């Protein structure tokens, strides 16, 4: 059986089949060592992977001029292709980091994270991201950098003392990602914006958040605020829309814009967490870009639902983030009027009713989301019911305000004429849907048909029914 260093040499060899087998073996070995809590061998394997990754990211794409002419010609022919050793090692780094953060909390997991996610790895990944020899190499470097940030967040709780906590390191990451966002590759844009969003959610440095917002804002200006952006917005409203149908020159990407919006929300939430007195500065970065999302401010909730409706998980997380933001916004420092109005327009009850309308007030669909709960819907629904319990008037106000606007949204999604639905129907439909959901959950739970713990949700739904009834 080959030793671990021999498997690394197999990745270095350039033989794609051997490199793939070696990478798979090292990833499986790492996972097995984590399960066995074998600290000593884990440290040796981490050191080996780290050395190889640094070597891969800092290696030159072309051989020295002193090498033979035949080698130079061969290398020049391959210069347009991703280097197997670089791609293989970056892929292995991302894979072991993902394995590490999915391990149960332990001292071994913490120590392994500290061993692997250090200054040398971050420098190597930034070098691999900045050296855009081939898009595939840059993409793998971004994926590995994102995996390092996620692992640091999950395994250490963003603890200080790690290089990723330093302002200088985070600033270098923002600058590097800003360069990536200046390219025309939308696959790189997606990972870059996701990295900025993660930094906004975890950074303890207000100025870093401002820098990240500048990068996101500049990207939105360049890509989503152009003269022809209206055609793209019209296209994504169509049920048949698919990113796969976009042309290669199309840089606008639905998922990237969703990630940008998440980054903005995370930046606003984090600025409140930090007690940052210049929250208005962050809002000043956001305000000019609101026009990229909506022509009229009161249409912002409709555009958000339209944008996020393609994926239940993304939709529910966005609604949950806005619920948290709306609940804490009254404690935030003075902000720009437009952003304050935008947050007010995204009222949790209004968005909740719009979501139910989007799903045709189908309590069976809600039941499926609660039982499977791979979207976080159970937690979101409990949070919303807690919210509306202390603000029962918000649901009434939302249903009164949604009459003509929600009809327009339904037509955007379905093309149906809903003009015969008056605003009181939304109140009746919402209350009836939640009553039906409570009844089905109680019945299924008593008959042991579901394994999920829904006791808290059933209690909150019961409280909701006592405060809201269909007249």
């Amino acid at each position: 059986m080959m030793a671990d260093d021999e498997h690394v040499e197999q990745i270095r060899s350039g033989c794609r089949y051997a490199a793939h087998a070696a990478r798979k073996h090292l990833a499986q070995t790492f996972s097995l060592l984590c399960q066995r809590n074998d600290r000593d061998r884990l440290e040796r394997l981490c050191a080996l992977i780290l050395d190889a990754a640094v070597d891969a990211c800092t290696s030159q794409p072309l051989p020295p001029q002193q090498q033979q002419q035949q080698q130079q010609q061969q290398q020049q022919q391959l210069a347009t292709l991703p280097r197997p050793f670089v791609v293989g090692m970056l892929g292995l780094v991302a894979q072991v980091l993902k394995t590490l953060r999915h391990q149960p909390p332990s001292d071994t997991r913490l120590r392994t994270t500290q061993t692997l996610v250090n200054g040398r790895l971050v420098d190597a990944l930034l070098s691999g991201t900045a050296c855009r020899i081939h898009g595939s190499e840059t993409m793998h470097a971004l994926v590995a950098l994102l995996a390092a940030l996620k692992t640091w967040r999950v395994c250490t709780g963003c603890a200080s003392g790690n290089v990723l906590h330093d302002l200088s390191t985070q600033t270098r990451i923002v600058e590097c990602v800003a360069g990536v966002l200046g390219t025309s590759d939308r696959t790189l844009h997606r990972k870059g914006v996701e990295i900025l969003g993660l930094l906004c959610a975890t950074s303890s440095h207000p100025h870093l958040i401002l820098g990240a917002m500048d990068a996101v804002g500049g990207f939105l200006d360049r890509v989503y605020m152009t003269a022809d952006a209206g055609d793209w917005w019209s296209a994504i409203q169509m049920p048949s829309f698919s990113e796969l149908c976009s042309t290669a020159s199309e840089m606008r990407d639905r998922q990237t814009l969703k990630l940008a919006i998440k980054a903005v929300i995370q930046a606003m939430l984090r600025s409140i967490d930090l007690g940052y007195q210049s929250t208005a500065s962050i809002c000043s970065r956001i305000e000019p870009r609101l026009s990229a999302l909506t022509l009229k401010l009161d249409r912002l909730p409709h555009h958000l639902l339209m944008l996020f409706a393609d994926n239940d998980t993304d939709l529910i997380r966005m609604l949950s983030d806005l619920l948290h933001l709306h609940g804490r916004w009254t404690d935030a420092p003075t902000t720009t009027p437009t952003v304050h109005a935008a947050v007010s327009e995204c009222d949790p009850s209004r968005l909740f009713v719009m979501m139910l309308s989007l799903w045709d007030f189908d309590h069976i669909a809600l039941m499926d989301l609660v039982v499977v709960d791979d979207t976080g819907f159970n937690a979101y629904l409990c949070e919303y019911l807690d919210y509306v319990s202390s603000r029962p008037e918000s649901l009434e106000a939302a249903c009164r305000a949604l009459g003509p606007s929600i009809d327009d949204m339904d037509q955007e999604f379905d093309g149906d004429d809903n003009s015969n639905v008056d605003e009181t129907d939304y109140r009746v439909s919402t209350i009836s849907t939640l009553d039906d959901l409570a009844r089905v959950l109680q019945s299924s739970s008593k008959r042991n048909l579901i394994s999920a713990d829904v006791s808290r949700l059933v209690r909150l739904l019961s409280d909701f029914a006592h405060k809201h009834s269909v007249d």
Side-chain angles (χ1 to χ4, degrees):
M1 182 178 294
M2 289 190 296
D4 293 338
D5 56 347
E6 293 177 315
H7 284 287
V8 171
E9 290 304 317
Q10 287 288 324
I11 300 177
R12 191 192 299 271
S13 68
C15 175
R16 295 184 182 276
Y17 176 78
H20 175 75
R23 172 181 159 182
K24 182 178 179 181
H25 173 83
L26 289 173
Q28 291 174 343
T29 300
F30 184 88
S31 178
L32 184 61
L33 293 176
C34 287
Q35 295 173 14
R36 291 178 176 176
N37 240 4
D38 191 339
R39 294 184 182 180
D40 293 337
R41 194 174 172 196
L42 264 176
E43 289 187 3
R44 291 196 297 270
L45 182 57
C46 286
L48 181 65
I49 293 174
L50 180 59
D51 289 341
V54 171
D55 186 29
C57 291
T58 57
S59 61
Q60 296 297 319
L62 294 175
Q65 294 298 324
Q66 295 79 11
Q67 292 193 5
Q68 298 178 1
Q69 185 67 24
Q70 183 179 3
Q71 291 177 326
Q72 290 180 343
Q73 293 176 352
Q74 182 183 14
Q75 193 68 27
Q76 288 169 358
Q77 292 174 356
L78 296 175
T80 57
L81 299 175
R83 292 167 287 170
F85 179 46
V86 177
V87 172
M89 287 311 306
L90 289 173
L92 178 60
V93 168
Q95 193 170 358
V96 299
L97 287 171
K98 181 178 180 180
T99 298
L100 184 58
R101 67 174 176 268
H102 283 92
Q103 299 299 313
S106 66
D107 186 55
T108 299
R109 188 181 77 163
L110 177 60
R111 287 182 56 183
T112 305
T113 302
Q114 294 168 343
T115 300
L116 194 55
V117 183
N118 58 24
R120 290 183 63 210
L121 178 65
V122 174
D123 289 343
L125 297 180
L126 289 176
S127 176
T129 302
C131 186
R132 287 183 279 278
I133 301 166
H134 190 279
S136 179
E137 293 184 13
T138 306
M139 171 59 75
H140 278 78
L142 286 172
V143 170
L145 181 59
L146 182 61
L149 286 166
K150 289 181 177 179
T151 303
W152 167 65
R153 180 185 187 182
V154 171
C155 298
T156 72
C158 303
S160 59
N162 187 281
V163 64
L164 287 176
H165 187 269
D166 295 340
L167 176 60
S168 59
T169 301
Q170 294 183 359
T171 301
R172 290 170 58 206
I173 294 175
V174 170
E175 292 172 351
C176 188
V177 170
V180 169
L181 295 182
T183 68
S184 59
D185 192 333
R186 63 182 179 183
T187 60
L188 300 182
H189 296 165
R190 186 178 297 187
K191 293 301 177 184
V193 172
E194 189 174 0
I195 288 173
L196 292 179
L198 189 55
L199 285 175
C200 288
T202 58
S203 179
S204 299
H205 310 289
H207 292 291
L208 187 282
I209 299 177
L210 290 176
M213 284 295 96
D214 284 337
V216 172
F219 171 69
L220 290 176
D221 289 343
R222 186 174 70 88
V223 176
Y224 291 94
M225 295 184 69
T226 56
D228 60 342
D231 295 337
W232 182 82
W233 270 106
S234 298
I236 69 172
Q237 297 179 27
M238 304 301 294
S240 59
F241 175 80
S242 171
E243 300 285 0
L244 298 176
C245 299
S246 300
T247 62
S249 59
E250 176 62 79
M251 289 193 294
R252 285 179 285 266
D253 173 71
R254 184 182 203 143
Q255 186 65 23
T256 304
L257 182 56
K258 287 159 64 175
L259 290 168
I261 292 173
K262 292 178 186 178
V264 169
I265 297 173
Q266 290 299 324
M268 297 169 74
L269 283 169
R270 188 61 176 160
S271 68
I272 300 173
D273 287 337
L274 297 174
Y276 187 33
Q277 295 304 312
S278 297
T279 303
S281 297
I282 291 180
C283 292
S284 68
R285 265 73 166 179
I286 299 170
E287 184 170 19
R289 282 89 193 189
L290 283 175
S291 59
L293 306 179
T294 180
L295 298 176
K296 295 182 179 179
L297 194 59
D298 61 1
R299 299 292 295 165
L300 180 58
H302 301 273
H303 280 293
L304 289 177
L305 265 291
M306 175 190 68
L307 182 64
F308 283 82
D310 67 319
N311 184 282
D312 290 342
T313 300
D314 291 341
L315 174 63
I316 292 166
R317 288 178 180 173
M318 182 272 295
L319 294 176
S320 180
D321 287 343
L322 286 176
L323 175 60
H324 295 157
L325 179 62
H326 196 278
R328 301 172 57 194
W329 195 246
T330 55
D331 299 326
T334 302
T335 60
T336 57
T338 303
V339 176
H340 186 81
V343 175
S344 299
E345 283 295 327
C346 295
D347 174 72
S349 289
R350 182 179 185 181
L351 290 171
F352 180 76
V353 176
M354 291 171 68
M355 177 196 69
L356 293 183
S357 177
L358 186 63
W359 293 338
D360 296 324
F361 295 98
D362 185 355
H363 70 281
I364 299 299
L366 301 186
M367 173 76 172
D368 291 339
L369 290 172
V370 169
V371 173
V372 179
D373 202 32
D374 56 352
T375 62
F377 181 73
N378 195 340
Y380 163 68
L381 184 53
C382 288
E383 290 171 355
Y384 172 72
L385 292 173
D386 271 333
Y387 169 86
V388 78
S389 176
S390 58
R391 303 170 181 84
E393 72 285 350
S394 68
L395 179 61
E396 309 290 334
C399 291
R400 287 195 301 270
L402 279 173
S405 298
I406 202 165
D407 291 342
D408 294 341
M409 186 192 73
D410 287 339
Q411 291 174 27
E412 287 176 357
F413 282 111
D414 304 324
D416 296 334
D417 181 8
N418 297 307
S419 57
N420 60 331
V421 181
D422 63 43
E423 57 195 36
T424 57
D425 285 336
Y426 294 106
R427 176 181 179 277
V428 172
S429 298
T430 299
I431 296 173
S432 299
T433 300
L434 294 181
D435 284 346
D436 291 341
L437 175 63
R439 185 175 62 257
V440 172
L441 285 175
Q442 287 176 331
S443 174
S444 300
S445 182
K446 289 179 180 179
R447 297 163 61 187
N448 295 322
L449 297 179
I450 55 177
S451 58
D453 182 8
V454 295
S455 56
R456 179 169 180 259
L457 177 57
V458 170
R459 185 178 70 254
L460 289 170
L461 287 170
S462 177
D463 292 342
F464 176 87
H466 287 143
K467 295 181 180 180
H468 302 270
S469 59
V470 179
D471 297 331

